[in-house]
Amino acid sequence: MFSVVLVLFVILLTVLYSSLCLYRYNTYLSTVPKPSCKLSWILGHTVALFNPRDILQVGVDAAIKYGGVIRVLIPPSVTIAITDNEVIQQFFKDSIVKAGDYAFFKPWLGTGLLTNNGQSWKSRRKLLSQCFGSLGLMKDFIKVFETSGRHFMNELESKIDDENLDIIPIMKKYTLNVLCETAMGVSLSSRGTQGDLYIRNIQNICKVMINRFKLPYERIHWIFYFTNDYRTQQRSIKMVNSFFDDIFEEKLRRVDDEMKIDGKRALLDVLIQFHKSSILTKENIRDEVNTFMFGGYDTTAIALSFALYALAYHPDIQEKIIEEQIEIFGSLNSGIETTYGHLQQMKYLELVILETLRLYPPIPYCGRKVIEETDIGKGMVLPTNLSLVISIYGCHHLPKHFREPEKFIPERFETDEILPYSFLPFGFGPRICIGKKFAMLEMKTTLSKIVSNFRISPSKQEFKPQLVPEITLASLNGLRISLEKR
């Protein structure tokens, strides 16, 4: 009986608090445009956003109609959705931090760069910049891309009879293997069933994260603790951390600090040197390696998959990539090992990647929270603790920012003037993705090999992706293409 009363009391407090917040923000934010909605105080914009396949386009249409700053009511909270590049830039004159929803990642990522804030984040960012800014380490990573890429070509060759190939799951498995080898220096295939379990549990954790963002009741921490998702998350985190701990202890037992495996260093090899100097604890390193795995696995797979999908419908662009590859290597499949120098010469391929990231940004939204009252002009003042959503997808699809925004035009990044803070695939400001260079090198290496080995064509069945925003951009029906050996 007591527990029932307690639950009802907590629910009542939650409703009262939510009502106060709604009243405060709707009054305080009355100058911020709000798209009309029926029964606004009860349902807000929930109905308009109910179908996930409509959310992305609804957001773009609203930004075009009402402007780049919009008030969105999804009870029990009010959020400001921003697509205007000038307003986004304005925020870096004022104080904002990551939104509260990033706390969902903390059980797995701890105090890694994604979830950390303040001075602790600044110190860690400065330290890790030494790793991701190291040309020597990047060259070691490229050796992994090269070796893994060759194995991946063999796997793709086994798929050429599939005329309706969903490329996403294959690409996710590939990028996870690459990340595991570059982050920890181990091949998942060499770990047998333990490697398979690691992949499965990483995927389980990501599915739980998606559910927490999608299901309103799971966003409330104390309710989440009673769900099956919570138990799945805890089991999976335990296994993933155990996998890391085993590898960490193996590497720590090395006698020679500079020892490499097959002439290559992994991120963990470098971080262990900080551990031996008492700069980072084992837990600090585990948080950063888990963050690296999470941040680079799904996003890179999604970007590569959408790049192949776009190229399937643009054979002329494929041919331009081929011409560049022949110019760099002398011929297709020359057998020459790809180097950092080769990747720097792939200027047109880089334009293709940038245009893919614009049209299909792997991270469609990011959240921030105002920590000081901020005047953004036009009579709009945003109060302390207000949640913001920066719509990266919206920024990339506004005619104000890009001419013919729905068309795939790689040359725009060579000829057009790109407005500041209108192109944000890696985030923006001081918290821009630290792995940007790593991701670009991996995508260049992979696409170079795929286009040189295969002609990419549309699926033989009629297909149109059903785009939805999850933690990353997703397609409910996959991404279907077909491959033909060159």
Side-chain angles (χ1 to χ4, degrees), residues 303 306-318 320-321 348-360 397 403-413 447:
F306 274 110
L308 295 181
Y309 172 75
L311 289 174
Y313 290 87
H314 295 87
D316 55 324
I317 293 176
Q318 282 190 62
K320 289 182 181 180
I321 296 173
Y348 187 74
L349 182 57
E350 183 169 323
L351 299 181
V352 170
I353 292 171
L354 293 177
E355 179 65 345
T356 301
L357 296 174
R358 183 198 67 80
L359 196 56
Y360 306 107
H397 285 255
R403 62 184 172 91
E404 298 181 285
E406 300 307 318
K407 290 188 177 181
F408 191 77
I409 310 172
E411 289 78 7
R412 74 169 79 243
F413 285 93
L447 289 175

Side-chain angles (χ1 to χ4, degrees), residues 9 49 103 124 194 212 280 334 337 357 398 451:
F9 179 68
L49 302 177
R124 192 76 60 80
Q194 191 185 25
R212 290 210 70 182
L280 292 175
S334 63
E337 185 172 303
L357 296 174
L398 285 185
V451 175

Side-chain angles (χ1 to χ4, degrees), residues 85 353-355 357-359 392 395-396 401-402 413 418-428:
N85 67 304
I353 292 171
L354 293 177
E355 179 65 345
L357 296 174
R358 183 198 67 80
L359 196 56
I392 296 172
C395 286
H396 291 188
H401 294 161
F402 297 95
F413 285 93
I418 307 300
L419 297 173
Y421 291 89
S422 65
F423 180 62
L424 311 167
F426 295 100
F428 43 88

Side-chain angles (χ1 to χ4, degrees), residues 146 321-339 341-343 345-346 444-445 448-449 452:
E146 177 71 6
I321 296 173
I322 289 295
E323 290 171 10
E324 183 176 72
Q325 295 296 305
I326 293 174
E327 185 178 336
I328 293 170
F329 293 104
S331 64
L332 293 182
N333 303 311
S334 63
I336 299 173
E337 185 172 303
T338 305
T339 66
H342 292 139
L343 296 175
Q345 295 176 59
M346 297 181 189
K444 277 188 177 182
T445 306
S448 165
K449 290 191 179 305
S452 296

